[in-house]
Amino acid sequence: MVVDAWGQHPTLRHSQSPIFDSLRRWTKQPAPTEALPVQLTVEQMDAGGVDKMLISAWQAPGRDLISNEEVARFVSEAPDRLVGVGSVDISRPMEAVAEIRRCVRDYRFKAIRVLPWLCETSPVDRRFYPVYVACVEEGLPFCTQIGHTGPLMPSEVGRPVYLDQVALDFPELVIVGGHIGYPWTEEAVAVATKHPNVYIDTSAYTVKRYPPELLRFMRGHGRHKVLFGTNYPMISPAKALAGLDDLGLSADIRELFLGRNAQRIFRLD
């Protein structure tokens, strides 16, 4: 099974948001003017040989770009292919905790994702801590972004080393840092090496752009620690995986990277 650990099925609010103007300059993709059908996402998965994609809500203080309800609806249209990931507003801690429980019990989501840059604060901010407690109690991985931000927002909050303190405070919490951690990939590798429950996903990067320090980690003691991701629709699965054979990964490492690690971490069938 090939699992994309980080994707989105975007709403128009998400796709047309001005915060992504810088990404549109990079990708040379105009913002869509109509809502994308779920079937198009499934077709892109088929084209890249992806069996399941974790699709995420996007919430932050004052911003609701993709709601949990919308993610649940998208998943219901392709339940064998799409897996829900919830999000919450950390500025309302009690509501955030209740929403995490609803994501599990009503929607059967498999993780919670909150982006530090979207909240304009680091993962060690006290407002994140009720989220961590709820994730541990509900058995959900906490997913976040590490590394610089493509949108024109501060990157410092994405330093992977912040997750060191989170993992020290919550050793039971499973943490998945997306987007490789560049330009602090070595820092991300160090944190993932130190803590048994910290992982890295490769979303927002094509195979040809994986940093050498990440590849060394994947081929060695980090073979159980790295997950494939795309950040779809920014990068399609087919484009993200183009050139995978050139990495020279062993069959076992390749299977772990493409799916088995994600199946284990997110408890996928």
Side-chain angles (χ1 to χ4, degrees):
M1 181 187 293
V2 177
V3 179
D4 182 346
W6 184 326
Q8 290 86 202
H9 182 77
T11 61
L12 275 180
R13 298 190 310 283
H14 182 271
S15 299
Q16 295 178 342
S17 174
I19 66 173
F20 298 122
D21 286 347
S22 59
L23 295 183
R24 284 189 276 273
R25 289 199 303 272
W26 295 352
T27 63
K28 297 181 172 55
Q29 296 177 0
T33 56
E34 297 180 0
L36 300 178
V38 168
Q39 184 57 35
L40 178 60
T41 293
V42 174
E43 290 172 359
Q44 290 293 310
M45 293 168 62
D46 289 340
V50 168
D51 298 291
K52 290 183 182 290
M53 177 186 288
L54 281 83
I55 61 168
S56 179
W58 277 59
Q59 294 191 38
R63 295 177 182 176
D64 180 11
L65 299 179
I66 307 175
S67 71
N68 292 320
E69 291 81 1
E70 286 166 322
V71 170
R73 188 173 72 247
F74 299 150
V75 170
S76 72
E77 294 185 40
D80 295 331
R81 308 297 300 280
L82 302 178
V83 178
V85 175
S87 190
V88 294
D89 180 348
I90 65 169
S91 71
R92 300 179 177 273
M94 293 306 296
E95 292 179 18
V97 169
E99 184 66 10
I100 289 170
R101 291 174 177 153
R102 190 166 73 98
C103 284
V104 175
R105 296 167 191 180
D106 292 355
Y107 299 146
R108 300 185 183 278
F109 286 175
K110 294 294 188 177
I112 295 295
R113 177 174 286 122
V114 182
L115 306 181
W117 66 263
L118 198 57
C119 302
E120 299 188 60
T121 189
S122 79
V124 295
D125 187 283
R126 66 187 185 279
R127 289 169 291 179
F128 274 94
Y129 276 53
V131 173
Y132 302 148
V133 172
C135 284
V136 171
E137 290 180 339
E138 298 296 336
L140 291 176
F142 174 76
C143 302
T144 191
Q145 179 178 336
I146 52 176
H148 82 104
T149 61
L152 299 180
M153 301 285 283
S155 294
E156 171 63 25
V157 295
R159 287 290 298 261
V161 75
Y162 286 119
L163 297 181
D164 180 51
Q165 186 63 58
V166 176
L168 289 170
D169 291 340
F170 296 91
E172 309 89 348
L173 180 66
V174 174
I175 303 170
V176 181
H179 294 16
I180 287 178
Y182 179 84
W184 305 293
T185 305
E186 199 76 79
E187 193 171 283
V189 167
V191 175
T193 299
K194 178 177 178 179
H195 296 286
N197 283 335
V198 176
Y199 301 86
I200 301 170
D201 85 48
T202 63
S203 55
Y205 287 79
T206 61
V207 163
K208 296 178 181 179
R209 295 183 61 219
Y210 292 172
E213 55 267 39
L214 181 73
L215 291 173
R216 287 195 299 271
F217 186 53
M218 287 173 61
R219 292 177 178 130
H221 64 281
R223 63 182 59 201
H224 297 284
K225 289 282 198 162
V226 183
L227 291 65
F228 165 66
T230 62
N231 198 30
Y232 174 87
M234 176 189 171
I235 301 176
S236 70
K239 182 177 180 181
L241 287 172
L244 180 65
D245 292 343
D246 297 335
L247 297 184
L249 302 178
S250 69
D252 182 58
I253 292 174
R254 181 170 172 143
E255 288 179 9
L256 288 166
F257 168 58
L258 290 179
R260 281 165 49 199
N261 288 339
Q263 284 179 271
R264 183 185 75 254
I265 292 163
F266 296 110
R267 301 179 185 178
L268 304 179
D269 299 328

